[in-house]
């Protein structure tokens, strides 16, 4: 059994030691573009370097970290096999982080035999952590979380990658550059739905479980369940329930 509280403590310790001291203090040589329009900072690389071995001490397995995969893409195949895999996004919302915007977070998921069993999203600035263990609900520091109630489309708020017809039907549509914070908003009932096109496992493995354990409904637009693997085909839509999911999906081009 994994000590969930111990993992939470480790994530917080790493954030306090490697991420927060660099927030609003990055030099230009501590930020680079690893791909066009995709930044990485010293906080990303150092947080993952420190976090990965500490997690493996608790449950030995493969670490699939966003920055490690950049150096060795072959580790992603671990998600297709049986066994323990730690999936890490050391700083989700790196562009926000590099631009002194506090909307960034640490994401960690424990995947066993291809299924996410536990997910953590830690928001370092307010030092708040949301944790979900399969079948045990989603929790934020002792408070159980619940997604927003299903309401008519015109009363919904949400986030979509491509506005299209959805923006004509719902109350408010926005995207703020951090998948982790979209998931935090969903689980706390601050927004009703989120739509994603880019489905990298470190962005979604923890968040989909957290949303599910908070009572939400998620599917790919092709109707299939999300799986934390690399080559997920399609787009991911999360909503409070199946009816609202279908109403929003009907507006997706």
């Amino acid at each position: 059994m994994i000590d969930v509280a111990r993992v939470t403590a480790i994530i917080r310790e790493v954030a306090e030691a490697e991420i927060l001291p660099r927030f609003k203090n990055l030099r230009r040589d501590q930020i680079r573009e690893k791909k066009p329009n995709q930044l990485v900072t010293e906080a990303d690389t150092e947080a993952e370097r420190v976090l990965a071995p500490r997690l493996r001490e608790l449950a030995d397995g493969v670490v699939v970290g966003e920055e490690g995969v950049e150096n060795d893409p072959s580790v992603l195949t671990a998600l297709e096999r049986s066994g323990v895999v730690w999936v890490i996004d050391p700083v989700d919302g790196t562009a926000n982080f590099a631009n002194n915007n506090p909307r960034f977070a640490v994401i960690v998921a424990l995947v066993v035999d291809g299924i996410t069993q536990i997910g953590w999203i830690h928001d370092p600035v307010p030092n708040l952590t949301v944790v979900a263990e399969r079948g045990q609900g989603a929790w934020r520091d002792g408070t159980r979380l619940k997604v927003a109630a299903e309401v008519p489309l015109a009363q919904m708020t949400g986030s979509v990658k491509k506005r299209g017809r959805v923006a004509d039907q719902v109350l408010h549509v926005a995207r703020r550059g951090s998948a982790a914070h979209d998931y935090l908003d969903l689980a706390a009932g601050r927004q009703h739905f989120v739509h994603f096109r880019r489905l990298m496992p470190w962005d979604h493995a923890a968040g989909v479980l957290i949303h599910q354990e908070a009572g939400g409904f998620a599917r790919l637009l092709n109707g299939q369940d999300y799986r934390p693997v690399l080559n997920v085909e399609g787009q991911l839509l999360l909503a409070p329930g199946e009816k609202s999911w279908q109403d929003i999906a009907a507006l997706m081009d």
Side-chain angles (χ1 to χ4, degrees):
M1 287 289 292
I2 290 293
D3 186 338
V4 176
R6 182 60 187 142
V7 176
T8 301
I10 289 171
I11 294 169
R12 288 181 168 185
E13 290 165 11
V14 172
E16 289 170 6
E18 304 296 340
I19 298 173
L20 284 176
R22 293 177 169 92
F23 183 48
K24 298 184 179 180
N25 290 307
L26 287 171
R27 302 187 307 270
R28 296 187 70 175
D29 65 326
Q30 294 174 315
I31 308 170
R32 64 180 175 84
E33 192 175 55
K34 58 184 179 182
K35 294 179 181 178
N37 300 315
Q38 191 172 351
L39 299 179
V40 62
T41 75
E42 186 177 86
D44 296 77
T45 55
E46 289 305 294
E48 186 171 312
R49 182 185 66 80
V50 175
L51 184 57
R54 296 192 66 182
L55 294 176
R56 288 191 64 185
E57 288 176 0
L58 299 180
D60 194 18
V62 179
V63 174
V64 174
E66 180 176 9
E67 308 316 323
V69 168
E70 184 70 16
N71 297 322
D72 182 9
S74 68
V75 300
L76 278 165
T77 61
L79 288 164
E80 303 281 1
R81 303 191 301 269
S82 62
V84 172
V85 180
W86 290 100
V87 183
I88 304 173
D89 191 342
V91 182
D92 177 77
T94 297
N96 286 347
F97 182 85
N99 287 286
N100 302 328
N101 180 336
R103 198 172 170 86
F104 61 89
V106 184
I107 308 176
V108 174
L110 177 64
V111 178
V112 181
D113 298 338
I115 298 172
T116 306
Q117 297 296 332
I118 315 174
W120 293 260
I121 297 179
H122 176 61
D123 189 353
V125 174
N127 195 30
L128 295 174
T129 310
V130 170
V131 183
E133 189 171 358
R134 184 166 295 277
Q136 302 298 316
W139 300 82
R140 183 188 62 231
D141 299 328
T143 299
R144 190 161 189 167
L145 300 178
K146 183 172 177 55
V147 298
E150 288 193 290
V151 295
L153 279 173
Q155 298 175 27
M156 286 189 179
T157 63
S159 173
V160 292
K161 189 66 174 178
K162 182 180 179 181
R163 295 172 66 91
R165 290 187 294 158
V166 176
D168 299 328
Q169 299 288 329
V170 303
L171 179 66
H172 179 65
V173 175
R175 178 160 293 274
R176 294 181 281 275
S178 166
H181 277 266
D182 279 330
Y183 281 114
L184 293 176
D185 287 346
L186 281 173
R190 291 189 292 265
Q191 63 179 352
H192 294 85
F193 66 91
V194 174
H195 164 244
F196 294 102
R197 289 179 179 270
R198 185 172 180 268
L199 303 183
M200 304 307 290
W202 44 80
D203 289 331
H204 303 291
V208 170
L209 177 63
I210 288 169
H211 178 255
Q212 175 184 326
E213 291 296 322
F217 184 89
R219 291 286 187 277
L220 302 178
L221 287 183
N222 63 14
Q224 296 179 355
D225 290 333
Y226 169 80
R227 294 178 59 239
V229 295
L230 175 61
N231 296 312
V232 179
E233 294 184 1
Q235 304 168 44
L236 177 62
L237 177 63
L238 305 100
E242 186 171 3
K243 182 182 183 305
S244 53
W245 186 94
Q246 291 175 342
D247 289 344
I248 299 164
L251 299 174
M252 295 287 182
D253 296 324

